[in-house]
Amino acid sequence: MKKRGVLCEEEKEVKKRKLLEQIGDGHLPYLSSKDDTFYDLWGSCYSKLTLLQAKHVPVDLHHTVQNAFLSLLRNGCLFQDLVRLKGKDIITPVSRILIGRPGYTYKYLKTRLFAVPWINDELNTQYSTRNLLETYKAFSDLNDFLYSQTVNELQKLGKIHKDNFFQHSEYKEQIKSDQRPSTSNYENVKLHSMESFNVTLINYMDPQNMSFLKEEPYFGMGKMAVSWHHDENLVEQSTVAVYNYSYQESSNDVNGEDEDPTRWHVGLKIAWDIETPGLLMPLSSGDCYLMLDDLNKTHQHCVIAGCQPRFSSTHRVAESSTGTLQYIKSQCNSALQNLHMNPDTGAADLKNLEPNVLGQTEEIHNEVEFEWLRQFWFQGKRYNKCTTFWKEAMTELEIHWKQMETMVQKQTRQDVTPRPGAMFLPILE
């Protein structure tokens, strides 16, 4: 898998170099809202991009969500991430926090983020302050609103039918109540494009503090806050929905002048295409946009910086087959089935010495360590500012890791020296 990932990055770089060579010293054409054919291009080549203007979003929702953004900032709950890009470790210019279903994670650029749970009445989750509890609830409410808008837009595209939606509403309720949904009735339903968002990645950037933003290289659209990309590790053909909030806005932006250079914009292009003009869409505070169905796969997008600080809440369906706390706990339970503890002496022993069983234990042991414990602890204690949920979860996972470490050491004493690096795992106090 690692080799495949490296190859994909290399292929992207080759394609990027070829594209820049084809462009030469000039730029490719793009259209903005001041161009007469802007909406024609949008309808013909970018029809799966939908803009929901701020005036069509409930006023109360604007109020609670925008206050929630500011609450995260005031409480120090937005963090820059250490990620791996083009073989180098870098600190992201954007500060982020992941919020979502309890126990869910999202991995991007080799870094796993752990979702602070949004409100779940059945979950006894402790939050740092009452204020933060209301903050996370605001994004849960926004998530429900954006999901309903997504369903409406997918129906317009003919991607789902009302009957399928009502079936999926039942499926969604099963997920919310942490039940394992039955898929027998949904074999002919396109669940991927309808599945509700399970996490939102909150972003914050103040361009005034960033003098090193790069120019957009293909079209000359302006300074990039976020460079061209596809959002990764999502369920195939799932929608990405974004709420945009730039505060301390200029008077021009408030008056709705599209070409105000202080405004933020989202740029889109067909991936690796030099024939079709790009699209530059202006964003007002409170606007939402939806990248529907397979748009995230067939197109790339970037964010062009305005002058004012900007928040965004980017709701997505993270690919979660191996990325939930429930999953990794089940992996641990599977491995620990082979551990026998003597009730009289407390001595540990292995029930089964078959190579495939021992190999599975080693794989799960490594998965817990490198995909979960190390990923969590290299990010420091930042989650303690937000919730006790993950510290408690990691305490439990570390106990399982220590048990599996005992199992691995028992089998390695017979034929292999202990694993290098095993003693470097941070231990909870």
Side-chain angles (χ1 to χ4, degrees):
M1 289 297 291
K2 288 183 180 179
K3 290 183 179 179
R4 183 181 178 186
V6 170
L7 182 61
C8 287
E9 286 298 323
E10 291 174 351
E11 287 176 345
K12 289 177 186 176
E13 283 304 303
V14 169
K15 287 182 177 181
K16 181 178 178 179
R17 285 195 298 269
K18 286 183 177 179
L19 190 58
L20 290 172
E21 287 172 4
Q22 289 176 296
I23 297 172
D25 295 330
H27 285 115
L28 296 172
Y30 75 92
L31 298 183
S32 67
S33 54
K34 68 180 179 181
D35 295 298
D36 293 339
T37 56
F38 173 74
Y39 292 101
D40 293 333
L41 176 68
W42 188 343
S44 60
C45 299
Y46 299 92
S47 60
K48 292 181 181 179
L49 172 69
T50 295
L51 175 66
L52 181 67
Q53 292 180 309
K55 63 185 179 182
H56 298 303
V57 177
V59 174
D60 288 348
L61 187 60
H62 279 309
H63 178 74
T64 56
V65 169
Q66 292 174 11
N67 281 339
F69 281 130
L70 296 174
S71 172
L72 291 175
L73 185 62
R74 285 194 300 265
N75 284 281
C77 293
L78 296 164
F79 314 100
Q80 292 175 280
D81 295 323
L82 177 65
V83 298
R84 187 114 181 124
L85 184 64
K86 299 179 184 177
K88 297 179 181 179
D89 293 327
I90 64 169
I91 299 293
T92 59
V94 178
S95 298
R96 297 185 165 104
I97 186 174
L98 187 72
I99 301 174
R101 286 186 194 157
Y104 273 63
T105 69
Y106 176 65
K107 195 171 183 182
Y108 81 107
L109 299 178
K110 310 298 183 184
T111 294
R112 185 181 300 279
L113 301 183
F114 298 80
V116 175
W118 49 40
I119 301 306
N120 184 325
D121 294 336
E122 298 177 2
L123 187 69
N124 185 25
T125 300
Q126 298 297 314
Y127 299 96
S128 302
T129 66
R130 175 74 186 180
N131 176 261
L132 282 177
L133 186 149
E134 296 300 323
T135 294
Y136 304 136
K137 183 180 185 302
F139 292 109
S140 178
D141 293 342
L142 177 60
N143 196 68
D144 290 341
F145 172 76
L146 290 175
Y147 174 68
S148 69
Q149 297 301 309
T150 296
V151 170
N152 291 339
E153 295 301 324
L154 288 172
Q155 287 175 345
K156 292 177 187 178
L157 286 176
K159 292 296 178 180
I160 59 175
H161 301 287
K162 288 185 178 180
D163 290 344
N164 289 351
F165 171 62
F166 291 130
Q167 284 181 320
H168 187 62
S169 296
E170 178 185 332
Y171 180 91
K172 180 184 173 186
E173 288 305 313
Q174 287 178 311
I175 292 176
K176 275 191 169 182
S177 61
D178 291 330
Q179 299 176 22
R180 183 175 294 277
S182 168
T183 58
S184 59
N185 296 327
Y186 307 108
E187 292 178 357
N188 298 319
V189 179
K190 216 176 169 189
L191 288 177
H192 282 180
S193 61
M194 293 164 33
E195 192 167 343
S196 56
F197 307 119
N198 49 34
V199 296
T200 179
L201 186 60
I202 310 292
N203 303 293
Y204 171 74
M205 174 182 276
D206 184 353
Q208 299 296 331
N209 296 330
M210 298 181 166
S211 59
F212 51 85
L213 295 180
K214 293 182 179 179
E215 290 286 342
E216 190 282 308
Y218 306 123
F219 303 93
M221 290 177 172
K223 297 280 188 180
M224 294 188 299
V226 181
S227 59
W228 291 105
H229 67 289
H230 306 274
D231 287 334
E232 58 181 318
N233 290 329
L234 305 181
V235 168
E236 188 175 356
Q237 290 188 259
S238 61
T239 293
V240 177
V242 181
Y243 181 98
N244 172 75
Y245 172 46
S246 47
Y247 71 106
Q248 301 171 357
E249 291 184 306
S250 70
S251 58
N252 285 342
D253 199 7
V254 172
N255 292 332
E257 296 183 15
D258 287 350
E259 298 313 310
D260 175 11
T262 68
R263 284 184 88 171
W264 287 75
H265 294 73
V266 60
L268 281 96
K269 68 183 180 72
I270 299 176
W272 316 116
D273 180 333
I274 64 171
E275 302 297 331
T276 307
L279 191 80
L280 186 65
M281 183 176 71
L283 297 172
S284 293
S285 190
D287 283 350
C288 304
Y289 61 92
L290 311 176
M291 295 184 287
L292 298 164
D293 195 46
D294 62 352
L295 184 71
N296 181 59
K297 180 179 180 181
T298 59
H299 294 59
Q300 292 174 304
H301 60 281
C302 71
V303 179
I304 303 299
C307 292
Q308 307 302 326
R310 180 207 185 225
F311 295 92
S312 64
S313 183
T314 62
H315 299 247
R316 56 195 70 202
V317 187
E319 204 295 306
S320 58
S321 59
T322 61
T324 66
L325 183 60
Q326 181 182 9
Y327 158 79
I328 197 62
K329 287 169 69 173
S330 69
Q331 288 285 88
C332 292
N333 290 337
S334 176
L336 293 173
Q337 292 296 314
N338 197 37
L339 177 64
H340 172 71
M341 301 297 296
N342 189 305
D344 297 323
T345 64
D349 206 353
L350 302 178
K351 298 177 183 178
N352 191 330
L353 297 178
E354 291 292 327
N356 63 319
V357 175
L358 300 180
Q360 182 190 42
T361 300
E362 176 71 8
E363 289 176 5
I364 295 173
H365 183 226
N366 287 337
E367 184 178 17
V368 171
E369 178 175 338
F370 292 100
E371 287 295 325
W372 291 82
L373 294 175
R374 287 178 182 260
Q375 283 276 350
F376 183 81
W377 284 109
F378 92 76
Q379 298 176 51
K381 297 181 179 180
R382 67 191 199 179
Y383 292 99
N384 292 350
K385 290 184 177 182
C386 310
T387 176
T388 60
F389 179 89
W390 283 108
K391 183 177 180 180
E392 294 167 359
M394 290 300 145
T395 300
E396 183 179 356
L397 282 184
E398 188 169 310
I399 292 171
H400 294 329
W401 176 85
K402 289 177 181 178
Q403 292 172 316
M404 285 184 281
E405 180 75 5
T406 299
M407 297 170 72
V408 171
Q409 287 177 352
K410 275 199 163 293
Q411 66 192 54
T412 55
R413 285 195 194 107
Q414 302 175 21
D415 50 6
V416 188
T417 56
R419 298 178 311 114
M423 302 306 293
F424 293 98
L425 179 68
I427 302 298
L428 279 167
E429 296 178 358

